Amino acid sequence: MPKISILVPIYNVEEYLEKCLDSILNQTFTDFELIGMDDGSTDLSGVILDRYAQRDHRVRAVHKKNTGYGNTMNQAIQMAHGDYIGIVESDDYIASDMYESMYCCAIEHQAEMVKTDYYDLWDHEDGTEGIKYHRLTKNQSMYNRVIEPNKELEAYFLEKFTWNALYHRMFLLQNQIQYNETSGASYQDNGFWFQTFYFAKKVFFLDQAFYRYKQDNPNSSIHSTQKVYAMKNEYDYIHNFLERHQEKNRKLYQICYHFRVKGCLYTLEKTAVQYKLELARMIAEEYKKYNEQGEITWEWFSKLERNSLSQICHSPEKYVENLLRKEERVRKSVDGFHHVIIYGAGSYGRSAYCQLKK
């Protein structure tokens, strides 16, 4: 049996797939299987996957009807034979020493999960790549030691992505950790992330980066403006998970609400005009519900997020009206320009980036 199973969910990524698969097959750690899950692609992705499977015995090509990201990943986990499981999204790629470094770390510390920093990646017009180091946290004390998340809740606030990690397979199976099987490919990693942190007793955050996370794939689910309720559905899934386990720690419910609101505010910024008011009203209704249940704290929100949530709860209609007016000002200010630089950072910079990207 292989030491690691590397799961690659695939859907219409013919432009990026070869680079992704090459980066996995060129790992310095060689004792692995690569399970490519073709989720009903309509382009040449399935053909490319088959070609790699014919060339390298470590590649398993699985072709299936389109069932969405969550169901595809759950099937892949059940097919895996490795002691550990890694995930690589098919439009991304990884450094050659990624799995050797993570596996050695997992074995040395007997960790159920190892997570690392990563690189943001985008293409320049001249064919070169832009790359930026992205830390999981600014708190250096969270790195390079074994952590039990439910005893150090700050761990929940490190980056939530699931692909910059290595998971012990039996840890996932014994705790019945699964992806939420909603349609499409929006935010299902949030529920998976929360479950892994909830059950884990030994998590190791490694302050090295190996994973290249592509930011500018136009087909990526993060750019969809139609999936208005995907974030709500995912955090309903997490909330129901806490209730099923009869969790008494209110802080975990507050963490759940915190990320629910952050996700909904982000969606509100980028979603199509016709959905904004409906979504704003939903945010206001949910605030009232979860506040009455004692599941809200302001301590983790930025000043901008607190202001936005307060305004939405006071008048969703007024908030959306002001949001649309702001977006129109942005459109007019950048009209005719080929390049735009956002100088600054934090919540305001991210808000401006969302509007410009849209």
Side-chain angles (χ1 to χ4, degrees), residues 59-179:
V59 180
R60 295 167 59 189
V62 180
H63 302 280
K64 53 187 283 297
K65 68 177 183 179
N66 184 266
T67 57
Y69 185 89
N71 176 265
T72 297
M73 291 302 296
N74 287 338
Q75 288 190 44
I77 291 171
Q78 293 301 317
M79 293 176 185
H81 296 130
D83 296 332
Y84 285 84
I85 287 178
I87 300 166
V88 181
E89 300 293 343
S90 49
D91 53 352
D92 302 330
Y93 67 93
I94 59 177
S96 62
D97 59 341
M98 174 170 162
Y99 283 112
E100 181 175 9
S101 299
M102 295 176 77
Y103 180 80
C104 290
C105 182
I107 294 299
E108 179 182 355
H109 300 284
Q110 293 297 292
E112 296 150 320
M113 177 168 53
V114 175
K115 297 199 74 173
T116 72
D117 296 340
Y118 61 92
Y119 290 99
D120 288 327
L121 179 73
W122 60 95
D123 293 327
H124 292 311
E125 291 179 349
D126 62 2
T128 60
E129 290 181 334
I131 191 168
K132 180 182 179 182
Y133 195 100
H134 198 122
R135 290 175 57 84
L136 295 175
T137 177
K138 295 179 180 178
N139 185 353
Q140 184 61 36
S141 70
M142 298 296 288
Y143 286 108
N144 303 323
R145 63 186 178 90
V146 174
I147 289 175
E148 184 175 349
N150 285 339
K151 291 184 178 178
E152 295 187 58
L153 293 180
E154 185 179 347
Y156 280 89
F157 292 87
L158 275 67
E159 293 283 6
K160 302 191 298 297
F161 297 115
T162 57
W163 31 252
N164 57 330
L166 193 65
Y167 307 92
H168 197 281
R169 181 169 64 91
M170 292 309 298
F171 161 70
L172 298 180
L173 296 178
Q174 289 171 357
N175 290 293
Q176 299 180 329
I177 295 172
Q178 292 188 320
Y179 286 84

Side-chain angles (χ1 to χ4, degrees), residues 8 29 199 238 320 328 349:
V8 184
F29 187 95
F199 286 117
I238 295 172
V320 170
E328 181 62 24

Side-chain angles (χ1 to χ4, degrees), residues 28 50 94 109 176-177 192 231 251 325 334 348 357:
T28 55
D50 284 339
I94 59 177
H109 300 284
Q176 299 180 329
I177 295 172
F192 187 86
M231 182 62 72
K251 281 291 186 183
R325 191 178 297 121
V334 301
Y348 290 97
K357 190 77 173 178

Side-chain angles (χ1 to χ4, degrees), residues 212 220 316:
R212 270 68 169 173
S220 173

